[in-house]
Amino acid sequence: MTTNLAIDDDLINEALSVGHFKTKEDTVVTALKEFISRRKQMEMVDLFGQFDPDPDYDYKHGRKS
């Protein structure tokens, strides 16, 4: 899908440089993916403490090879 956006040139150029991207499209797509991922992580953090732990869960069992 083609979309035209007016993005600050200094901002996009800095993101290109910092991320070592080849194109502006790669830069924007990666930035959007990271933004979405970060927001989903923040939603998960809000759930901490709202659920009772399973008393039968053996976390040490998962560590065994």
Side-chain angles (χ1 to χ4, degrees):
M1 171 175 76
T2 301
T3 303
N4 292 324
L5 299 171
I7 300 175
D8 180 15
D9 285 334
D10 293 335
L11 187 63
I12 196 78
N13 287 332
E14 184 175 358
L16 270 163
S17 174
V18 170
H20 305 288
F21 297 107
K22 293 182 180 179
T23 66
K24 291 180 180 181
E25 180 181 359
D26 290 342
T27 306
V28 172
V29 169
T30 302
L32 287 171
K33 287 180 180 179
E34 288 182 11
F35 175 81
I36 292 166
S37 175
R38 177 79 171 142
R39 290 294 172 120
K40 287 182 177 181
Q41 289 174 6
M42 290 170 58
E43 289 175 6
M44 293 298 293
V45 169
D46 291 339
L47 295 176
F48 287 148
Q50 294 186 11
F51 298 97
D52 293 328
D54 182 4
D56 296 328
Y57 179 70
D58 182 11
Y59 68 92
K60 291 183 181 181
H61 178 73
R63 295 181 183 175
K64 295 179 184 175
S65 318

